[in-house]
Amino acid sequence: MNFIIMLIVGGIAGWLASIVMKTDGQQGIILNVVVGIIGGFLGGYLLPMVGLSFSGLVGYLITALIGAIVLLAIVNLFRRGSVR
């Protein structure tokens, strides 16, 4: 059951991050889920380093969203030469 919740939260976080970073038209649902899941791991690694910690389902969504935005910013930096 946790795997299904991780996919749903990852998909929502990836979708929201793609809207924030204006890459929504370039990504499909599968890439949104992948970006959200990788963003969750990235956010879970980076946020404690700066002293932030979220718990609960909404906290996991916020962590994944922040990580996915950072991931998309890095991808845009290498792809276009600017974060945009």
Side-chain angles (χ1 to χ4, degrees):
M1 193 65 175
N2 286 337
F3 182 71
I4 294 171
I5 293 172
M6 185 175 70
L7 288 177
I8 292 170
V9 170
I12 293 170
W15 173 65
L16 289 173
S18 68
I19 290 173
V20 169
M21 296 300 291
K22 295 179 177 63
T23 60
D24 193 37
Q26 302 167 359
Q27 296 180 188
I29 190 167
I30 301 296
L31 191 55
N32 280 341
V33 171
V34 170
V35 166
I37 291 172
I38 294 172
F41 287 119
L42 185 63
Y45 177 74
L46 293 176
L47 290 181
M49 288 182 167
V50 295
L52 293 174
S53 158
F54 300 107
S55 62
L57 189 60
V58 175
Y60 296 146
L61 180 63
I62 292 169
T63 301
L65 176 62
I66 292 170
I69 289 172
V70 168
L71 178 65
L72 287 176
I74 292 169
V75 168
N76 284 340
L77 185 64
F78 283 108
R79 188 182 299 169
R80 294 189 184 100
S82 67
V83 174
R84 185 162 52 143

